Amino acid sequence: VQLVEAGGGSVQAGGSLRLSCAVSGYTYNNYCMGWFRQAPGKEREAVAIINNEGTTTYADSVKGRFTISKDNAKNTLVLQMSMLKPEDTAMYYCAADLVWARCYSNKPNYWGQGTQVTVSS
């Protein structure tokens, strides 16, 4: 399984960014995929997760601002981020697993290399 993120960058507070994750080598019917982030000096946290049934879960801090989606035709996971805040600054990782519980417990087995998001005030 390979996950390759793109779309990070620098933006001012209140702006928007779209992260994408190209997924390959994944042919299973059951899966969970998500976006996780880690800021310097902080623990990694789950930002948004989607499973094969289409159920989405968001961290409280991003609800109403971020949207996770999966384009099955293109095998791409997307995180649309709007109303960005300086506290959203972090390295963002795309991740996946066959077992839902691993995503929801912040321990998926497959990870991308990460993409930096920086929000200035």
Side-chain angles (χ1 to χ4, degrees), residues 21-43:
C21 175
V23 183
S24 60
Y26 208 100
T27 59
Y28 304 98
N29 291 327
N30 292 323
Y31 63 81
C32 61
M33 293 184 180
W35 290 95
F36 298 76
R37 68 186 181 187
Q38 187 165 22
K42 295 187 177 181
E43 292 187 355

Side-chain angles (χ1 to χ4, degrees), residues 46-78:
V47 175
I49 296 170
I50 187 168
N51 62 32
N52 55 283
E53 293 185 352
T55 302
T56 56
T57 305
Y58 295 93
D60 288 343
S61 59
V62 307
K63 283 180 181 177
R65 300 188 298 121
F66 291 11
T67 301
I68 188 171
S69 61
K70 187 173 183 293
D71 184 333
N72 290 321
K74 297 180 180 180
N75 226 15
T76 299
L77 185 70
V78 174

